[in-house]
């Protein structure tokens, strides 16, 4: 049995659909969907590039070219909130990997290990922004805002590293 096919264009959408009049089933035109996805993808890429360019608006030219690592090593005092949060986040992640590995090597277990990680992690971050960078924490949301940055992902990374190392070495 051959059913008749017709094409219709809907004003609310920019792709065509084929209607099978014999069975009443709608089938989307795959080529039109793919073209639409490509167009939306290009729009997203363009908007990301625009956002990236605006990120450094208003900053001095000298600061724009410096990486966060270079700023951290040079102890610069002109940090934006986003830059400081990013540095704190990644330092916490590195610290979580190191402490998780050390806690796994030394067979530490129990609640004291969790508390030890939290105290060491928080003390390191406080020393970073308080003593090393000499930043006034009130300008960046206070101690709670800075200490909370990246805490949950780093804690779970610590737990994963600690568990894997402990299991691999002691069992």
């Amino acid at each position: 049995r051959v059913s008749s096919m017709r094409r219709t264009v809907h004003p609310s959408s920019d792709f065509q659909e084929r209607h099978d009049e014999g069975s009443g089933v709608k089938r989307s035109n795959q080529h039109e969907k793919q073209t639409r996805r490509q167009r939306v993808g290009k729009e997203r890429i363009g908007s990301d590039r625009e956002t990236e360019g605006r990120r450094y608006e208003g900053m001095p030219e000298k600061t724009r070219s410096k990486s966060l690592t270079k700023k951290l090593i040079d102890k610069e005092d002109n940090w934006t909130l986003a830059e400081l949060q990013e540095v704190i986040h990644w330092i916490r992640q590195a610290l979580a990997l190191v402490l998780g590995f050390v806690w796994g090597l030394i067979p530490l277990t129990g609640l004291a290990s969790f508390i030890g990680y939290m105290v060491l992690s928080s003390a390191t971050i406080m020393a970073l922004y308080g003593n090393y960078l000499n930043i006034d924490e009130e300008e960046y949301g206070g101690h709670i805002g800075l200490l909370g940055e990246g805490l949950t992902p780093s804690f779970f990374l610590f737990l994963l590293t600690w568990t894997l190392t402990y299991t691999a070495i002691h069992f």
Side-chain angles (χ1 to χ4, degrees):
R1 172 178 150 204
V2 177
S3 63
S4 63
M5 301 286 286
R6 72 180 159 103
R7 288 186 141 186
T8 59
V9 178
H10 297 282
S12 62
S13 66
D14 60 340
F15 65 93
Q16 298 175 349
E17 292 184 344
R18 291 185 184 156
H19 296 277
D20 186 349
E21 291 178 353
S23 65
V25 176
K26 293 181 179 181
R27 291 179 287 180
S28 297
N29 188 338
Q30 295 298 321
H31 175 71
E32 293 295 329
K33 278 187 173 181
Q34 186 176 10
T35 305
R36 184 170 184 238
R37 283 188 197 127
Q38 289 170 347
R39 189 173 53 250
V40 169
K42 286 179 184 175
E43 290 170 2
R44 286 185 186 149
I45 290 171
S47 66
D48 289 345
R49 288 185 185 144
E50 291 168 10
T51 305
E52 184 178 322
R54 281 184 272 155
R55 183 185 318 169
Y56 298 107
E57 271 183 16
M59 293 177 66
E61 186 63 36
K62 184 178 178 184
T63 307
R64 289 183 193 173
S65 62
K66 279 195 165 183
S67 70
L68 293 179
T69 308
K70 181 101 171 127
K71 283 180 77 169
L72 186 63
I73 292 170
D74 291 344
K75 296 183 184 181
E76 285 201 18
D77 59 350
N78 56 347
W79 290 87
T80 64
L81 178 61
E83 290 173 338
L84 187 60
Q85 287 175 336
E86 187 174 344
V87 167
I88 289 173
H89 174 84
W90 288 110
I91 287 176
R92 271 198 194 271
Q93 303 313 307
L95 192 61
L97 280 172
V98 170
L99 291 179
F101 186 72
V102 170
W103 263 232
L105 285 176
I106 306 168
L108 293 177
T109 57
L111 184 61
S113 301
F114 288 110
I115 293 171
Y117 167 73
M118 295 301 282
V119 167
L120 270 170
S121 175
S122 297
T124 303
I125 296 303
M126 283 183 81
L128 170 76
Y129 70 78
N131 297 335
Y132 183 73
L133 295 176
N134 295 322
I135 289 177
D136 181 21
E137 66 276 349
E138 295 305 318
E139 292 179 19
Y140 297 95
H143 286 294
I144 301 298
L146 292 175
L147 288 177
E149 185 61 39
L151 183 63
T152 305
S154 69
F155 179 72
F156 287 111
L157 182 61
F158 162 74
L159 227 96
L160 178 68
T161 308
W162 177 31
T163 305
L164 291 176
T165 305
Y166 184 87
T167 304
I169 293 175
H170 300 288
F171 283 108

